[in-house]
Amino acid sequence: MPKITFITADGAERVVEAASGVTVMEAALQNLVQGIDGDCGGAAACGTCHVYVDPAWTDKTGPATPGIEKDMLLLTDNVRENSRLSCQIRLSDALDGLIVRMPEGQH
Amino acid sequence: MTILTDHAERARTIPLDQIDVSDPELFRQEALHPYFERLRKDAPVHYCAESAYGPYWSITKFNDIMAIDTNHKVFSSDHTHGSFVLDDTTLNAVDGGIYLPNFLGMDPPEHDVHRMAVSPIVAPHNLLRFEATIRERTRRVLDSLPIGETFNWVDRVSIELTTMMLATLLDFPFEERRRLTRWSDIVTTRPGYGLVDTWEQREQELMECLAYFQQLYAERKKLPPQPDLVSMLAHTPSMQGLDDTQFLGMLVLLIVGGNDTSRSSMSGGALACSLYPGEFAKAKANRALIASMIPEIVRWQTPIAHMRRTALEDFEFQGQKIRKGDKVAMWYLSGNRDEDVIERPMDFIVDRPRARHHLSFGFGIHRCLGNRLAELQLKVLFEEVLERYSRIEVAGEPVRVPSNLIHGFIELPVRLHV
């Protein structure tokens, strides 16, 4: 099972394991990781699962997908090049060890 | 009670093509739910050929609403196609209404520029700044309420708290803040519903709103930038050169968006606590439940009953042929009662799992901008309520807003028990 490290805006780390095939947002919700809300249930339609992918992992996760994910990120605060909606990152063995950082708050 | 029984029977038996869920009278009586239940079951994408607002489609299932709301390329909000509410007179210069363009009624890219100009006001660091103020005011308002005596919760709590918040966001002269309440109410009404007598009166009062804010704008423009919405409009480079119409359109969006909505949730929350005393007691015994209680209040009340879109092309949806130019109403009030997505949807359940998964804020690029602030205001209010009272009792018949847009209350007679 892939491991993911979530790091909050003030630096607290939390490592969780989740099955391949679930999304990073679902992994956060299943493990009650604070700071990821996922209000829309995974449709990239609310912007409440915004994360910054660690630069070492951006090649593997890829950039935000054109369409609703990009449209929503355009309207999100403090968006950077490595911003993603974590409901659009699906876990696999290739992402074992993934590190994502969370913004100050989900808006 | 008889009225509601009649509606339940009528909703079951009326031919589908005669159902018109846009009738404000149904909202005044809170008689909508049996009709929505029928539509969700028998005609989830339903065409109403004749209504006071012309023909329109109703989308009533949770996931269908999500699909339309996130497909902004086909289902437009833009004011040039008629905007985002069923009643064209609310925001357009038709049949007596005046033109009030704003970013909720725009498509990208124009939408994004306008929205981003004001969104910093509700950014996380600003919310932290507001929390202490909100708590201090909330305590003061609750301290002033009588115990064991009936009073109107809408006026003394919901309007008071939301109007103070709005005055802070706009840095509006505090003593005159009820003018904001009045302007908010008249934007979403038309003559004949108790607030204004004529279209001319509505227009004249909205022009007073414009003039008042023009003066505030001129003052703020001369000062260095401040973290209030008027100052932000005065100083944000992308907002320079708004004409009077655009300025007023932006203002009414901020005023209505920041006012009617939280107000209705504050009132609906009190009603829910009264109707479900066991749930209230559960939250009182375990304060951590506030995290699910607040989104549950927002779902259960659903302060905005619908948002409307206009189809930009012919589009086949769930077996129905929506044609270019058709009005499409997404009934959040119905989607939030969709038994296929939400268990026991009519009930208020403070520890509902995944309580945040509701439609009240909309989804997609037009999702509610102030949702975090609204949740913060509600959280503080109900934390303080749970701290102080053993029970909230609704002690008389609620008087509801006759509107298919603002799902709220004019009066909610409440008695508090310590």
Side-chain angles (χ1 to χ4, degrees), chain B residues 79-225:
Chain B
H79 53 94
T80 54
H81 308 299
S83 197
F84 55 87
V85 292
L86 269 178
D87 187 345
D88 287 336
T89 64
T90 308
L91 296 156
N92 288 303
V94 293
D95 301 332
I98 62 170
Y99 184 42
L100 297 167
N102 57 60
F103 65 83
L104 189 45
M106 291 174 193
D107 291 340
E110 197 187 9
H111 160 268
D112 299 6
V113 174
H114 283 244
R115 180 173 167 128
M116 292 311 275
V118 291
S119 74
I121 194 83
V122 285
H125 62 273
N126 267 330
L127 296 193
L128 287 175
R129 189 166 68 88
F130 291 138
E131 179 159 356
T133 310
I134 294 172
R135 191 168 302 274
E136 189 267 324
R137 285 176 183 169
T138 303
R139 286 180 173 160
R140 201 151 21 96
V141 164
L142 294 183
D143 283 343
S144 76
L145 300 175
I147 300 295
E149 272 173 46
T150 304
F151 64 92
N152 181 9
W153 176 273
V154 176
D155 184 60
R156 301 232 1 218
V157 179
S158 311
I159 290 181
E160 190 58 5
L161 288 175
T162 50
T163 305
M164 285 195 283
M165 187 73 238
L166 190 58
T168 300
L169 295 176
L170 294 159
D171 195 11
F172 190 87
F174 207 66
E175 296 313 310
E176 297 197 40
R177 63 187 182 275
R178 288 278 174 140
R179 302 191 73 164
L180 295 169
T181 321
R182 171 73 188 168
W183 290 326
S184 178
D185 287 342
I186 64 168
V187 171
T188 53
T189 194
R190 39 156 86 197
Y193 289 96
L195 285 167
V196 292
D197 297 323
T198 61
W199 287 111
E200 291 71 29
Q201 186 194 350
R202 178 175 179 268
E203 178 168 351
Q204 189 206 323
E205 290 197 41
L206 288 171
M207 287 304 132
E208 286 168 18
C209 171
L210 173 64
Y212 197 106
F213 274 97
Q214 280 173 325
Q215 198 183 335
L216 292 182
Y217 184 97
E219 290 165 15
R220 308 278 155 86
K221 186 92 184 158
K222 285 187 222 137
L223 297 169

